[in-house]
């Protein structure tokens, strides 16, 4: 046998080294795959071989302060599908659609998708779940789920808020405390083959979900019901756009109630409660519909700023008393007008019958603008700005709700000019939110501490154990206890003797202030649109509650804060104090008043000047709180009605309507008994021409009182010194 040639040897050597190299390469590659990439590939294989279905955690419960459940999670069921396990798609789709009342084609698309798992329908009933289980459809699985439910419907909806279909908080406490309420979801894991079919000997594991924490509110369900009932009545009775009521514990800053009407049902947050609105919304385009939703969810108490009007006089009073530029007995004179501000002429609401000389306490009772303009001057722009900031205006309060507004105040003290200082002193030219105002007024009631509004008291676990406690928080001291006591005494006199009489409740010492402000829309005062309000603290000797009532755009006739918000305030205060077991304490004066009744005279169809004179002569007080009153204004109604027996010195509310303000027709006033200076003042203000004869007091006039006259007529007035 011949020896192999050199070429053959070289080929064998080449093949040997080639095979050795390939073997070495494959050995290294296998080692790299097994040792270096082993864990990663093992993880990938497990991911391919397993599928997981998320198990929702049970969302935490929202409670009121006494443990009543305001938002809960109820058991529901969700249907899932493993498309690879479905053997007869057509038959399965038909059966599922029949049981779940779904479109068969839609179901078919879901169960034939190239996915590991697909959700068919969420939140089916227990009956549907049982029927689906009995059908024993391969690839169809039913998982226990939770659905958010609000047992009281629209109750406190602006506070509680609502969730989306996946139980994520979208609004209110549900949103701000979502991370605590949500809990930790669990997982159901199964082993599957390449076609996503469950392996017969594969592993299966269940990771339990961890329930969310419960949230305990400061809201008292009973007091919230009082507020919601009163708000709804006020909304309907006054045909208002919105009504908002806040009840706060001034000592802790706890929100005991916050009601806004109209509202919505968080179980169906995108459907209005009004059936007529439901019909109107059906055909709206999506962008308009979304705007309607946001308007419906808007919480006036924190999301809107408004000019507070006379309720802000509480703050101006607190500043003046704290800075010692005024005392309850300081004297002021109201001539009806402020004429010495360059380029402006401001007037008191009762300029046609000025308050004259009065103490500061009486000025607050009368809600006299002239008093507060002069007080504002004594305070000055620097101190006014300092205290406005100190009381929390121009900044958010930090309440646990979304969308809180900061309001509008001047950017600095230098921006507060003389006219700004004057108008701010009686609540115009500044915009506040209701939550800011009630928080500031609470500081007046608790001895001077500005509290952070508290809406959540504590977080608890499913066993009721406290996980976290939210303590009351004092932001800063704004006024002294002495100032607080002085002002509470003054505010009590407003309710017992002044413009706040309609909130008076025998046996309870209530301090408060009325307010009627013309609305600002697009930077201008809107004619005929008002916000009526009433702020109160009770009892003033030991404050337990601070209450703010706001009626936005009342259109049923009256719009004065004392007239329409006063009775609402009285109702809430009385019901709340009785609920809190605060016994009424009747004074001797209150007992005597029951035996000292007088009949109310009829002043309807008279002009305001004549009506005011009749009531004053009979020792009655009267109130209009209207901004646009003139000498031509006619009394179209009154409360109490003529003939009603009331206590001597009671306040009579006059409802005015100047039907002639856009014409040249004027009603001739009563001049009899007035002196020449008084007559000249009245006729000059009415822009009437006149002829005066004689001296002394008026004995006759032409035309006679109550006659409709043209502004071009000459009024003849006879005076005489002869006394009958």
């Amino acid at each position: 046998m011949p020896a192999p040639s050199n070429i053959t040897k070289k080929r064998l050597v080449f093949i040997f080294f080639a095979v050795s190299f390939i073997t070495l390469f494959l050995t290294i590659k296998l080692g790299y795959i097994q040792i270096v990439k082993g864990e990663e590939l093992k993880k990938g294989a497990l991911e391919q071989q397993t599928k997981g279905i998320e198990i929702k955690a049970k969302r935490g419960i929202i409670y009121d302060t006494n443990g009543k459940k305001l938002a809960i999670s109820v058991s529901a069921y969700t249907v899932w599908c493993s498309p690879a396990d479905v053997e007869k798609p057509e038959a399965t789709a038909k059966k599922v659609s029949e049981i779940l009342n779904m479109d068969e084609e839609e179901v078919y698309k879901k169960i034939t998708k190239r996915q590991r798992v697909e959700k068919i329908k969420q939140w089916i009933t227990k009956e549907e779940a049982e029927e689906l289980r009995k059908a024993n459809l391969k690839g169809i699985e039913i998982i226990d789920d939770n659905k958010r439910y609000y047992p009281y419907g629209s109750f406190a909806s602006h506070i509680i808020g609502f969730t989306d279909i996946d139980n994520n908080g979208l609004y209110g406490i549900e949103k701000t405390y979502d991370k605590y309420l949500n809990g930790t979801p669990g997982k159901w894991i199964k082993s599957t083959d390449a076609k996503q079919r469950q392996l017969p000997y594969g592993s299966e594991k269940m990771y339990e979900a961890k329930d969310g924490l419960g949230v305990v509110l400061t809201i008292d369900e009973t007091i919230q019901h009082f507020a919601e009932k009163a708000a709804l009545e006020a909304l309907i009775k006054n045909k208002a756009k919105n009504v908002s009521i806040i009840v706060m514990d001034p000592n802790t800053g706890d929100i005991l109630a916050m009601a806004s009407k109209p509202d919505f049902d968080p179980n169906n947050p995108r459907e209005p409660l009004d059936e007529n609105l439901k019909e109107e919304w059906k055909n709206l385009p999506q962008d308009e519909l979304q705007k309607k939703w946001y308007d419906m969810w808007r919480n006036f108490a924190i999301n809107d700023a408004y000019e507070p009007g006379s309720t802000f006089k509480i703050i101006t009073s607190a500043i003046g008393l704290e800075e010692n530029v005024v005392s309850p007995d300081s004297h002021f004179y109201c001539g009806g007008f402020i004429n010495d501000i360059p380029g402006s002429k401001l007037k008191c609401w009762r300029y046609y019958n000025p308050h004259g000389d009065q103490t500061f306490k009486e000025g607050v009772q009368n809600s006299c603008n002239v008093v507060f303009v002069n007080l504002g001057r004594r305070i000055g722009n620097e101190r006014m700005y300092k205290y406005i900031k100190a009381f929390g205006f121009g900044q958010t309060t930090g309440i646990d709700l979304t969308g809180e507004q900061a309001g509008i105040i001047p950017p600095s003290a230098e921006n507060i000019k003389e006219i700004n200082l004057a108008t701010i002193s009686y609540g115009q030219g500044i915009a506040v939110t209701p939550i800011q105002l009630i928080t500031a007024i609470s500081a007046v009631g608790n001895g001077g501490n500005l509290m952070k509004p508290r809406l959540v008291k504590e977080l608890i676990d499913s066993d009721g154990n406290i996980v976290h406690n939210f303590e009351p928080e004092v932001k800063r001291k704004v006024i002294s206890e002495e100032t607080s006591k002085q002002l509470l005494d003054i505010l009590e006199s407003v309710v017992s003797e002044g413009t706040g009489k309609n909130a008076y409740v025998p046996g309870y010492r209530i301090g408060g202030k009325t307010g009627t402000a013309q609305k600002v829309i697009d930077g201008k005062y809107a004619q005929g649109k008002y916000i009526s309000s009433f702020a109160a603290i009770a009892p003033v000797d030991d404050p337990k509650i601070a209450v703010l009532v706001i009626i936005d755009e009342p259109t049923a006739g009256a719009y004065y804060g004392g007239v329409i918000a006063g009775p609402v305030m009285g109702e809430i205060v009385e019901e709340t104090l009785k609920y809190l077991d605060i016994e009424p304490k009747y004074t001797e004066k209150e007992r005597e008043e029951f035996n000292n009744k007088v009949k109310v005279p009829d002043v309807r169809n008279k002009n305001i000047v004549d009506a005011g004179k009749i009531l004053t002569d009979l020792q009655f007080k009267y109130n209009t709180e209207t901004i646009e009153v003139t000498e031509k204004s006619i009394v179209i109604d009154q409360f109490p009605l003529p003939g009603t027996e009331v206590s001597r010195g009671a306040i009579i509310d006059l409802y005015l309507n100047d039907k002639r303000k856009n014409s040249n027709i004027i009603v001739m006033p009563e001049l009899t008994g007035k002196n020449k200076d008084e007559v000249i003042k009245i006729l000059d203000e009415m822009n009437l021409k006149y002829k005066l004869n004689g001296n002394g007091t008026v004995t006759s006039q032409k035309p006679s009182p109550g006659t409709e006259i043209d502004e071009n007529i000459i009024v003849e007035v006879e005076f005489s010194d002869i006394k009958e």
Side-chain angles (χ1 to χ4, degrees):
M1 183 175 181
S5 65
N6 288 333
I7 295 174
T8 302
K9 288 180 180 179
K10 287 180 180 179
R11 284 177 180 172
L12 290 173
V13 171
F14 174 77
I15 292 170
F16 172 77
F17 280 106
V19 171
S20 298
F21 177 77
I22 292 170
T23 302
L24 180 62
F25 173 77
L26 291 174
T27 302
I28 294 171
K29 182 70 174 177
L30 183 62
Y32 174 77
I33 291 172
Q34 288 184 328
I35 298 171
V36 179
K37 299 285 287 184
E39 286 300 317
E40 183 181 336
L41 294 172
K42 183 180 179 181
K43 182 181 177 183
L46 285 172
E47 287 178 354
Q48 287 183 344
Q49 293 168 9
T50 59
K51 64 177 181 180
I53 297 175
E54 185 177 86
I55 300 172
K56 291 290 182 74
K58 199 164 188 179
R59 193 170 176 84
I61 297 171
I62 298 177
Y63 302 88
D64 89 324
T65 190
N66 297 314
K68 290 188 178 179
K69 297 176 181 179
L70 305 181
I72 61 176
S73 292
V74 295
S75 295
Y77 306 90
T78 298
V79 182
W80 293 83
C81 172
S82 302
D85 292 334
V86 177
E87 294 179 346
K88 299 177 180 179
E90 292 84 1
T92 301
K94 184 177 181 181
K95 190 65 176 176
V96 170
S97 64
E98 288 174 357
I99 296 172
L100 301 183
N101 193 26
M102 292 178 67
D103 180 69
E104 186 176 336
E105 187 178 342
E106 180 189 352
V107 176
Y108 183 80
K109 286 180 181 177
K110 286 177 178 286
I111 66 175
T112 54
K113 280 187 178 180
R114 295 178 63 84
Q115 292 185 191
R116 293 184 185 178
V117 289
E118 175 69 17
K119 185 189 292 184
I120 303 298
K121 189 175 182 180
Q122 190 168 13
W123 298 345
I124 66 171
T125 65
K126 184 179 180 181
E127 291 74 19
E128 289 173 331
E130 288 177 353
E131 192 174 350
L132 207 53
R133 286 191 177 110
K134 286 178 184 177
N136 196 25
L137 300 171
K138 206 156 179 67
I140 301 297
E141 295 165 340
I142 301 158
I143 305 297
D144 289 348
D145 202 349
N146 298 297
K147 179 181 180 181
R148 203 59 165 166
Y149 177 66
Y150 305 91
Y152 294 97
S154 63
F155 179 82
S157 56
H158 285 101
I159 299 170
I160 299 169
F162 54 86
T163 64
D164 62 14
I165 195 169
D166 293 318
N167 277 344
N168 298 308
L170 290 183
Y171 183 75
I173 291 296
E174 292 277 31
K175 180 175 177 62
T176 51
Y177 281 81
D178 186 60
K179 65 179 180 180
Y180 301 108
L181 290 162
N182 237 342
T184 306
K187 208 94 170 179
W188 181 15
I189 298 174
K190 296 180 178 183
S191 298
T192 60
D193 63 13
K195 292 186 177 181
Q196 303 304 315
R197 293 173 298 198
Q198 185 168 352
L199 296 172
Y201 304 104
S203 62
E204 182 176 325
K205 193 162 187 178
M206 181 83 73
Y207 294 93
E208 295 292 338
K210 184 179 179 182
D211 293 346
L213 296 175
V215 174
V216 181
L217 304 180
T218 59
I219 296 294
D220 188 305
E221 183 255 354
T222 302
I223 299 175
Q224 180 74 18
H225 270 300
F226 294 154
E228 297 221 357
K229 174 174 67 79
L232 184 58
E233 288 174 356
L235 182 79
I236 296 170
K237 182 179 179 181
N238 297 288
K239 298 179 182 177
K241 180 181 178 182
N242 296 293
V243 175
S244 184
I245 297 174
I246 306 175
V247 183
M248 177 181 277
D249 181 340
N251 301 299
T252 61
D254 285 0
I255 306 293
L256 304 178
M258 181 187 286
S260 290
K261 297 290 181 179
D263 52 12
F264 60 93
D265 185 348
N267 292 302
N268 297 290
R270 289 170 180 80
E271 285 188 9
L273 297 175
D274 186 276
E275 292 297 327
N276 293 327
L277 282 180
K278 281 184 184 178
E279 289 298 317
E280 288 179 23
W281 288 16
K282 276 184 179 178
N283 300 318
L284 290 178
Q286 190 63 27
D287 57 339
E288 281 189 43
L289 198 55
Q290 285 186 336
K291 186 178 184 303
K292 295 288 186 184
W293 294 340
Y294 290 128
D295 288 343
M296 181 171 65
W297 301 334
R298 194 171 184 84
N299 185 355
F300 183 87
I302 65 164
N303 298 144
D304 288 278
Y306 72 106
E307 286 198 353
S310 294
T311 51
F312 194 78
K313 291 174 181 175
I314 297 175
I315 307 303
T316 307
S317 300
I319 300 169
L321 292 168
E322 181 69 14
E323 289 295 315
N324 294 315
V325 297
V326 72
S327 71
D329 297 324
S330 298
H331 277 265
F332 292 84
Y333 182 82
C334 171
F337 296 90
I338 295 289
N339 295 311
D340 56 348
I341 298 177
S344 300
K345 183 177 182 179
L346 305 178
K347 61 184 179 182
C348 180
W349 67 269
R350 215 179 79 175
Y351 73 93
Y352 52 86
N353 183 17
H355 296 106
D357 182 67
Q358 58 194 324
T359 64
F360 175 63
K361 186 174 184 178
E362 291 169 334
V364 180
Q365 292 172 13
N366 296 327
S367 196
C368 178
N369 287 350
V370 174
V371 168
F372 281 90
V373 170
N374 286 314
L375 176 57
R377 287 170 165 171
R378 294 185 187 184
I379 294 170
N381 61 340
E382 293 283 349
R383 286 188 289 198
M384 180 66 83
Y385 182 75
K386 169 189 166 186
Y387 278 94
I388 286 174
K389 294 282 287 183
F391 271 106
F393 299 109
Q395 55 198 289
T396 58
T397 64
I399 190 170
D400 292 325
L401 292 173
T402 56
E404 183 185 6
Q405 299 299 303
I408 303 170
I409 66 171
S412 67
E414 291 72 26
N415 290 94
I416 302 179
K417 307 304 179 186
E418 188 175 2
I419 182 62
N420 306 124
L421 183 62
T423 58
I424 287 173
S425 69
Y426 56 78
Q428 290 185 2
I430 183 173
V432 307
T433 62
I435 190 64
Q436 285 176 336
L437 187 59
I438 191 68
T439 304
I441 290 170
S442 290
V444 169
N446 67 22
N449 294 319
L450 185 73
M451 307 298 297
K452 178 182 177 181
R454 189 170 68 146
L455 200 50
V456 174
K457 188 165 66 173
E458 56 198 20
L459 302 175
I460 60 175
D461 62 21
S462 55
D463 296 322
N465 301 312
I466 297 175
V467 176
H468 184 78
N469 193 39
F470 298 91
E471 296 292 339
E473 181 181 333
V474 179
K475 286 189 170 182
R476 53 187 164 270
K477 186 86 169 174
V478 286
I479 57 173
S480 65
E481 288 191 20
E482 182 183 356
T483 296
S484 173
K485 289 178 181 177
Q486 279 185 314
L487 187 49
L488 286 174
D489 178 68
I490 293 172
L491 294 176
E492 182 182 12
S493 72
V494 173
V495 175
S496 61
E497 304 174 46
T499 57
K501 188 79 172 180
N502 283 334
Y504 173 72
V505 179
Y508 290 116
R509 297 180 61 185
I510 304 169
K513 187 73 193 71
T514 62
T516 307
Q518 198 167 3
K519 287 188 73 172
V520 177
I521 299 176
D522 297 329
K524 297 179 181 179
Y525 286 103
Q527 291 297 318
K529 294 185 182 293
Y530 300 91
I531 290 184
S532 306
S533 57
F534 202 121
I537 299 169
V540 293
D541 54 333
D542 184 18
K544 299 296 184 186
I545 56 171
V547 186
L548 180 62
V549 174
I550 298 174
I551 302 175
D552 181 18
E553 290 189 30
T555 59
Y559 54 85
Y560 323 126
V563 175
I564 64 174
V568 179
M569 177 64 72
E571 177 187 341
I572 293 170
V573 169
E574 183 176 17
E575 289 181 330
T576 302
L577 292 182
K578 284 181 178 178
Y579 167 71
L580 295 174
D581 289 329
I582 299 172
E583 292 293 327
K585 300 174 184 176
Y586 298 102
T587 64
E588 287 300 322
K589 181 182 177 183
E590 285 171 335
R591 291 190 178 94
E592 288 175 9
E593 283 180 348
F594 289 112
N595 302 316
N596 189 21
K597 302 289 185 181
V598 291
K599 288 187 177 181
V600 177
D602 189 350
V603 294
R604 293 172 297 185
N605 299 317
K606 299 183 184 297
N607 65 50
I608 185 62
V609 176
D610 294 340
K613 186 176 186 303
I614 292 169
L615 294 172
T616 303
D617 289 346
L618 292 173
Q619 298 180 17
F620 287 105
K621 296 178 181 179
Y622 64 95
N623 177 41
T624 65
E625 268 206 35
T626 179
I627 295 172
E628 299 176 345
V629 66
T630 70
E631 292 87 347
K632 309 170 196 176
S633 297
I634 303 298
V635 179
I636 60 171
D637 204 355
Q638 64 181 78
F639 180 83
L641 291 171
T644 305
E645 288 192 348
V646 297
S647 302
R648 189 177 299 279
I651 296 177
I652 310 301
D653 294 311
L654 303 180
Y655 301 84
L656 306 179
N657 182 25
D658 186 5
K659 297 177 181 178
R660 306 167 180 81
K661 63 185 176 183
N662 293 322
S663 70
N664 293 325
I665 300 300
I666 302 169
V667 176
M668 185 64 200
E670 172 70 72
L671 301 176
T672 304
K674 299 187 182 299
N675 61 39
K676 189 169 286 189
D677 288 341
E678 290 173 326
V679 170
I680 291 172
K681 183 172 184 254
I682 291 170
L683 297 180
D684 281 347
E685 288 181 357
M686 296 177 71
N687 293 318
L688 291 174
K689 299 173 185 176
Y690 50 84
K691 181 180 178 182
L692 308 181
N693 300 314
N695 294 298
T697 57
V698 178
T699 54
S700 67
Q701 65 182 81
K702 189 178 179 181
S704 58
T707 305
E708 292 186 354
I709 60 175
D710 187 275
E711 63 181 3
N712 296 316
I713 196 170
I714 298 176
V715 178
E716 295 184 20
V717 184
E718 295 291 333
F719 295 84
S720 175
D721 288 322
I722 299 173
K723 297 182 179 178
E724 296 182 357

